[in-house]
Amino acid sequence: MSSFRASAFQSLSRSRTSFLRYQQRRWAQVHDVRFLATHHDSKQVLDRYKAKLDQKAQQEGHENIESLKDAYKEKIQDFRRKASTSITPEPSTPSPSATGPPPPPTPPPSPQAQAAMKATASAKSGGIKGLDSFLDVEKIRSLPPKEIETLWRLRHANNSHSICACIPVETYQRIVSAARQNPQFILPLPRDATQAEAAEGENSENANSGADIHFLQWAFHPPASAPSPSATHASLANSHTSTIIFTHLAAYKLHGSFAQPHTTITHHLDLADDKGLVLMHGQVMPDSGVSITDASWLVSCVQRFYDFGGQASGRKGELLRMFTRGDVQNFKIEELLAEAEKV
């Protein structure tokens, strides 16, 4: 038995040795190492070898070291040219223009220009596309609102995952006023009979409600473009860019803020001051389980529940406020669905 163990150990030892040799051969490489040549102070070098240079100058009949350097000037320059590389070029003397006074600093931009540049950079860093990425804003400013609305709809007509709308600025301001106080809400999406049967088979928590519940969140960003020159501070509407993201409520419960939204809505206020229009653009993620019709329904529900001066002046507005307060006793999904279906 001991001989068997010894032979097994020797076999394992030989195989491991051969494996290590194979590894050494396998990973053996030749590396091209280049050292960085540094340029020392010539004065320090001269002080260090001054005695030897004096002796060399006397042997060759020169008066001093400067005379010796003049005699070997061409040889020294040739040696420097051969020793220089693209990484460590030969040090050159500064040109007369480089030693002159520095140019005067450029004047800082005006506060209005600074605010506009900061707002544009912030909006772009957040991944929000400005209105100028869809239309030539300066050209359409001269058009009447009806033609602008037609061009906006035509711009998104061929995109199967896009929705759009034109909102009067007064309506939008009422909605945004409610959104700042109630930035989160849930909306029901009614299911047809086939979807309801599938939900009952999966024991969905909302199977009895006859609707899928979706979670929405508002966000406010700096304006994606500079305000119109004709806008006054008293009536400035293009002060921000707002977005709404829709997520399946089940996905939000599971993943929280990391849940993948299925629809993103952006409101562009570039024409709000001079044309009284807010252009809305929505993008539906492919293969998200939500169709364009479903997304359009959810977007229409936003106005029904957030337009406090209009459609949301009654029970719809009360449900929105109850959700914000966390009033679980009075907030009912069945009532939410009933109110959503009321036009």
Side-chain angles (χ1 to χ4, degrees):
M1 189 66 163
S2 59
S3 61
F4 174 75
R5 290 180 179 176
S7 61
F9 178 78
Q10 292 174 359
S11 176
L12 178 61
S13 177
R14 286 194 299 271
S15 62
R16 184 176 180 180
T17 303
S18 61
F19 174 74
L20 291 175
R21 290 175 180 172
Y22 174 77
Q23 286 289 89
Q24 292 171 357
R25 291 195 301 270
R26 171 64 178 83
W27 295 105
Q29 298 181 11
V30 178
H31 297 277
D32 183 13
V33 180
R34 296 185 181 182
F35 292 91
L36 180 63
T38 57
H39 301 285
H40 298 282
D41 189 357
S42 58
K43 185 178 180 180
Q44 295 179 357
V45 177
L46 185 62
D47 292 341
R48 185 176 180 181
Y49 296 98
K50 187 174 185 304
K52 293 185 177 181
L53 290 173
D54 285 333
Q55 183 180 359
K56 180 72 173 177
Q58 292 177 4
Q59 290 178 355
E60 296 190 5
H62 297 285
E63 297 180 357
N64 50 32
I65 298 177
E66 295 298 327
S67 167
L68 179 65
K69 288 171 63 177
D70 292 339
Y72 284 87
K73 184 177 181 180
E74 294 183 0
K75 188 174 182 179
I76 293 173
Q77 291 179 351
D78 182 63
F79 177 77
R80 284 180 175 177
R81 282 194 299 268
K82 293 179 179 179
S84 64
T85 64
S86 58
I87 300 177
T88 59
E90 179 184 357
S92 58
T93 58
S95 60
S97 60
T99 59
T106 57
S110 63
Q112 294 82 2
Q114 288 180 351
M117 290 187 294
K118 183 177 180 181
T120 304
S122 178
K124 289 182 178 179
S125 63
I128 300 175
K129 289 185 177 181
L131 185 62
D132 53 1
S133 62
F134 300 98
L135 297 172
D136 191 330
V137 179
E138 296 306 318
K139 285 186 178 180
I140 65 175
R141 285 189 189 277
S142 59
L143 300 177
K146 285 293 183 182
E147 293 187 16
I148 294 176
E149 182 176 354
T150 302
L151 288 174
W152 184 244
R153 296 184 184 279
L154 289 174
R155 176 62 178 80
H156 302 283
N158 295 328
N159 190 339
S160 60
H161 298 287
S162 176
I163 57 177
C164 64
C166 293
I167 307 172
V169 66
E170 296 82 4
T171 303
Y172 174 79
Q173 287 175 339
R174 292 196 304 266
I175 294 174
V176 165
S177 178
R180 292 186 183 276
Q181 300 176 7
N182 308 273
Q184 298 178 346
F185 194 48
I186 58 173
L187 289 175
L189 181 63
R191 294 191 300 263
D192 55 27
T194 304
Q195 291 175 329
E197 291 177 359
E200 291 176 0
E202 296 174 359
N203 296 322
S204 172
E205 59 178 323
N206 300 316
N208 297 328
S209 66
D212 291 323
I213 308 301
H214 297 259
F215 181 73
L216 71 87
Q217 300 178 82
W218 283 83
F220 297 92
H221 317 274
S225 63
S228 172
S230 61
T232 62
H233 292 285
S235 62
L236 186 62
N238 185 22
S239 59
H240 66 276
T241 300
S242 66
T243 58
I244 313 174
I245 59 173
F246 292 91
T247 312
H248 293 281
L249 181 59
Y252 186 80
K253 285 182 176 180
L254 184 62
H255 302 289
S257 59
F258 296 98
Q260 180 70 29
H262 59 72
T263 304
T264 304
I265 304 296
T266 305
H267 298 98
H268 302 281
L269 282 79
D270 301 63
L271 305 176
D273 291 304
D274 46 0
K275 296 299 178 181
L277 287 179
V278 176
L279 303 185
M280 184 273 288
H281 168 249
Q283 190 71 24
V284 182
M285 295 295 294
D287 303 324
S288 61
V290 175
S291 64
I292 291 294
T293 304
D294 296 337
S296 300
W297 165 269
L298 293 173
V299 172
S300 66
C301 284
V302 171
Q303 182 178 357
R304 297 176 195 176
F305 285 89
Y306 277 89
D307 188 3
F308 284 178
Q311 301 182 35
S313 58
R315 186 59 177 170
K316 294 183 178 66
E318 294 178 6
L319 289 170
L320 178 59
R321 295 185 184 96
M322 283 191 291
F323 182 86
T324 302
R325 294 195 305 264
D327 189 354
V328 296
Q329 298 296 329
N330 298 315
F331 187 88
K332 305 297 181 183
I333 294 294
E334 293 78 7
E335 189 176 2
L336 177 69
L337 178 59
E339 290 294 330
E341 292 178 341
K342 292 179 182 179
V343 179

